[in-house]
């Protein structure tokens, strides 16, 4: 499968907001890149550029957002989808600025739509006898990730965020 087939839904779903309001088009310069994680027999990793991926391989996404204004931006939220055919991995999520990392999934069958949660995310499950119980959310159920910046992004500063997904 080509990496670009996983890139289009990612770019389409990439969102950036400031206090829940969309940003002006020229306020932030954004870039998305991706690399394939190759692991050697000794466990060391190398990030490589490739056009093709196979089931089981890991893609490392890098999102960068530069504040191109002359003032600090407060309340910045950076979100990106986990496209169909990919599963979020437990490693690789990072940020260059203080932020709260969350995942989005169907966490409560009594609520319509998807909800956000920090990790470990818990979901409610209805057992066959009707009993409601909580269990840890399987990463296969994650539909998006986001970083809510804890501090302002200074003028000219770049927020660098990464996450990894495995090809199903």
């Amino acid at each position: 499968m080509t990496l670009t087939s996983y890139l289009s839904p990612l770019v389409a779903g990439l969102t950036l907001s400031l206090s829940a309001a969309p940003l002006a088009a020229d306020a932030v310069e954004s870039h998305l890149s991706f690399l394939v994680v190759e692991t050697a027999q000794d466990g060391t990793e190398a990030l490589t550029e490739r056009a093709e991926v196979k089931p089981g391989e890991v893609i490392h996404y890098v999102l960068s957002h530069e504040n191109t204004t002359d003032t600090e931006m407060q309340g910045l939220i950076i979100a990106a989808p986990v496209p169909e055919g990919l599963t979020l991995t437990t490693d690789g999520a990072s940020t260059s600025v203080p932020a709260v990392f969350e995942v989005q999934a169907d966490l409560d069958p009594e609520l319509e739509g998807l909800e956000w949660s920090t990790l470990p995310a818990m979901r409610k499950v209805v057992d066959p006898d009707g009993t409601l119980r909580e269990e840890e959310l399987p990463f296969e159920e994650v539909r998006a990730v986001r970083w809510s910046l804890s501090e302002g992004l200074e003028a000219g500063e770049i927020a660098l965020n990464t996450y990894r997904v495995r090809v199903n």
Side-chain angles (χ1 to χ4, degrees), residues 63-114:
L63 312 166
S64 69
H65 302 285
E66 180 180 1
N67 177 354
T68 58
T69 70
D70 58 1
T71 60
E72 179 183 51
M73 294 177 142
Q74 291 284 334
L76 196 63
I77 299 171
I78 299 165
V82 175
E84 191 170 328
L86 301 174
T87 298
L88 183 70
T89 66
T90 57
D91 62 344
S94 69
T95 182
S96 64
V97 295
V100 175
F101 179 74
E102 296 175 293
V103 296
Q104 186 183 47
D106 185 3
L107 301 174
D108 189 339
E110 296 175 346
L111 298 176
E112 191 173 321
L114 304 174

Side-chain angles (χ1 to χ4, degrees), residues 9 22 24 30 42 47 53 59-60 80 89 116 124 145 148 151-152 155-157:
S30 300
D42 66 359
L47 300 175
V53 288
I59 302 168
H60 180 86
T89 66
W116 290 100
K124 294 179 181 177
V145 297
S148 298
E151 299 175 3
E157 186 178 9

Side-chain angles (χ1 to χ4, degrees), residues 2-148:
T2 64
L3 270 169
T4 54
S5 63
Y6 295 116
L7 185 60
S8 295
L10 185 72
V11 171
L14 194 60
T15 60
L16 189 65
S17 65
L18 184 63
S19 299
L23 291 170
D26 60 347
V28 175
E29 185 175 313
S30 300
H31 295 282
L32 167 69
S33 63
F34 52 89
L35 300 163
V36 177
V37 179
E38 294 182 352
T39 306
Q41 287 183 345
D42 66 359
T44 58
E45 290 184 351
L47 300 175
T48 61
E49 289 188 38
R50 284 202 335 239
E52 301 279 326
V53 288
K54 298 177 271 190
E57 290 189 309
V58 174
I59 302 168
H60 180 86
Y61 287 116
V62 179
L63 312 166
S64 69
H65 302 285
E66 180 180 1
N67 177 354
T68 58
T69 70
D70 58 1
T71 60
E72 179 183 51
M73 294 177 142
Q74 291 284 334
L76 196 63
I77 299 171
I78 299 165
V82 175
E84 191 170 328
L86 301 174
T87 298
L88 183 70
T89 66
T90 57
D91 62 344
S94 69
T95 182
S96 64
V97 295
V100 175
F101 179 74
E102 296 175 293
V103 296
Q104 186 183 47
D106 185 3
L107 301 174
D108 189 339
E110 296 175 346
L111 298 176
E112 191 173 321
L114 304 174
E115 299 86 37
W116 290 100
S117 175
T118 56
L119 295 176
M122 301 300 287
R123 71 174 178 179
K124 294 179 181 177
V125 177
V126 179
D127 286 332
D129 67 359
T131 306
L132 192 63
R133 65 178 171 83
E134 280 195 342
E135 69 179 19
E136 192 164 334
L137 176 73
F139 280 109
E140 295 83 18
E141 301 295 322
V142 173
R143 297 293 159 249
V145 297
R146 77 176 176 190
W147 296 263
S148 298

